[in-house]
Structures are given as structure tokens and as C-alpha cells.
Amino acid sequence: DTEVTQTPKHLVMGMTNKKSLKCEQHMGHRAMYWYKQKAKKPPELMFVYSYEKLSINESVPSRFSPECPNSSLLNLHLHALQPEDSALYLCASSLGSSYNSPLHFGNGTRLTVT
Amino acid sequence: GIQVEQSPPDLILQEGANSTLRCNFSDSVNNLQWFHQNPWGQLINLFYIPSGTKQNGRLSATTVATERYSLLYISSSQTTDSGVYFCAATYGQNFVFGPGTRLSVLP
């Protein structure tokens, strides 16, 4: 079983909806990540939180809004998405920075935008 | 930024066969990981291996950081080994993923 928990597992939403993806870890990790993965492609980084502060935003459109309420939780708020945003959204965590600790992934949320 | 390449892109094996997957990276890295993504999309951490050799059951990995490559060995393959194998190397605070090797193990 993965130690990074993502909910929901599947989400179907319309272009006018507002929804949130949730990620939780209790391993004491201080860095948390959101990745987006399209079919037959590798994961692509969206955001990095380090010690609860946003440290990387890979030019992600503002319709995706991350939030890190505390060191164990990471949310991704979705609003006015487009059909091309349909993808697998993966959350990950690491003990410290990417320089010296491995990345642990959750099972992902499969998002479909209609 | 760093470039990560993997070969072969696709691999079909008969159950019981051995295989070697390769990951090349364009710059020196502090961290390298191998992942297996199963058909349900789960990304499973196989090895965290910035350098040296590690073994876990039928799988082993070797990273030669000075020559900028890493190898993943799968011995006595099983149908449950099917999926996509990714290597990922650090660049700044980002893990850059290679394009993956898609492995199919036939019974």
C-alpha cells in the first residue's frame, strides 16, 4: 500500500465546475509535489511545496491552484478546466529536497473534464 | 535543463527471460530513481540509486554517475513485471523523468 494517499481516485467534472484534489502523507516528509501525466507520457512537474511554501510553479495555468494547509496535506483546486486538462494527477512527497531523498508517489486521481 | 533518455522504448519478453533497461542523463545528478508504473497507473518506487549497485529480489540497478547512465536489470521476468519503467533524475528541485520503457511480459 502506498503511504501517500490521494482522493478521489476518479473525478469527472464539467468545464464550469470547481473541484479539489487532495493528497495526504504521514511520513514526516517536508516536500510535496503535484505532477500531471497524459496517456503514454512521463509525469510532468506542476508544483513543488517545500516546508509548506510554494517553491516551484512550472508555468501552470491559473485554473490550477495549489494549497498546502500543513506539512501533511496538499490540495489542488480546479476551476474552469478544459477538456485537454484530462489526465492522471499524481501527488508525491520526499523527506527533504530532491537532492538527497527519494520521491514517493500516491496512486493518483484520474480526471476527466467534459 | 537536464535531458533524460531511456532505451529501448518498447520491449516484449517471454516469461522467464532476462532484460536490461538503460537510462542516460545529460548532466551530473544528485539523485536518480527507477519507477515501475503498472497498468493501473500506480508509480512504484523501485530504486533510489544516485551511484553504485543495489539489488531487490529479481531486480537490480547500477548507476555509474561519472559516465551518466543507469541500468535496471530484470531477471526471470513475470507477467506482473509488465508496465512502464521510468528513470528520473534531479534537476534543481525537479525530478525529470525519462520517456519510459514499455515492457510486456507474455505468458
Side-chain angles (χ1 to χ4, degrees):
Chain A
D1 287 338
T2 182
E3 296 176 37
V4 178
T5 304
Q6 288 188 245
T7 54
K9 292 183 180 178
H10 301 273
L11 179 62
V12 179
M13 60 185 291
M15 289 188 285
T16 58
N17 291 158
K18 287 185 181 180
K19 296 285 185 184
S20 296
L21 309 185
K22 297 186 184 302
C23 175
E24 190 168 0
Q25 57 86 15
H26 294 288
M27 296 181 282
H29 289 181
R30 303 312 300 266
M32 296 186 77
Y33 309 75
W34 280 115
Y35 280 83
K36 174 182 177 179
Q37 187 178 23
K38 301 284 280 185
K40 298 188 186 298
K41 296 289 187 182
E44 293 182 347
L45 184 69
M46 300 174 73
F47 303 104
V48 179
Y49 273 83
S50 181
Y51 292 85
E52 301 164 45
K53 291 190 184 335
L54 182 64
S55 59
I56 292 183
N57 176 342
E58 290 286 345
S59 302
V60 179
S62 60
R63 57 186 184 268
F64 295 91
S65 175
E67 178 195 19
C68 189
N70 59 56
S71 60
S72 300
L73 294 174
L74 185 66
N75 299 321
L76 186 63
H77 303 299
L78 314 173
H79 174 53
L81 294 193
Q82 304 297 309
E84 59 264 29
D85 296 321
S86 298
L88 180 67
Y89 288 83
L90 293 159
C91 173
S93 68
S94 62
L95 181 62
S97 75
S98 62
Y99 287 111
N100 57 12
S101 54
L103 207 57
H104 297 260
F105 279 92
N107 289 340
T109 293
R110 200 166 293 277
L111 174 67
T112 302
V113 182
T114 61
Chain B
I2 193 171
Q3 304 295 317
V4 181
E5 299 174 346
Q6 291 186 244
S7 60
D10 296 281
L11 185 59
I12 300 175
L13 298 176
Q14 208 65 41
E15 198 169 25
N18 303 328
S19 62
T20 301
L21 282 57
R22 186 176 179 102
C23 173
N24 293 331
F25 37 94
S26 62
D27 207 343
S28 53
V29 297
N30 299 96
N31 187 351
L32 188 118
Q33 279 187 265
W34 283 97
F35 297 92
H36 173 218
Q37 189 165 41
N38 66 23
W40 296 272
Q42 295 174 316
L43 263 173
I44 299 160
N45 192 350
L46 296 177
F47 293 102
Y48 165 68
I49 186 164
S51 64
T53 297
K54 291 186 177 180
Q55 181 153 9
N56 184 3
R58 297 181 294 104
L59 273 59
S60 64
T62 295
T63 296
V64 183
T66 53
E67 297 187 23
R68 301 180 184 172
Y69 73 88
S70 184
L71 302 174
L72 178 69
Y73 306 95
I74 304 174
S75 64
S76 304
S77 58
Q78 300 175 356
T79 56
T80 52
D81 295 331
S82 297
V84 183
Y85 289 80
F86 291 105
C87 66
T90 52
Y91 180 72
Q93 280 188 279
N94 187 6
F95 284 81
V96 178
F97 281 77
T101 291
R102 186 171 299 273
L103 175 65
S104 299
V105 181
L106 305 178

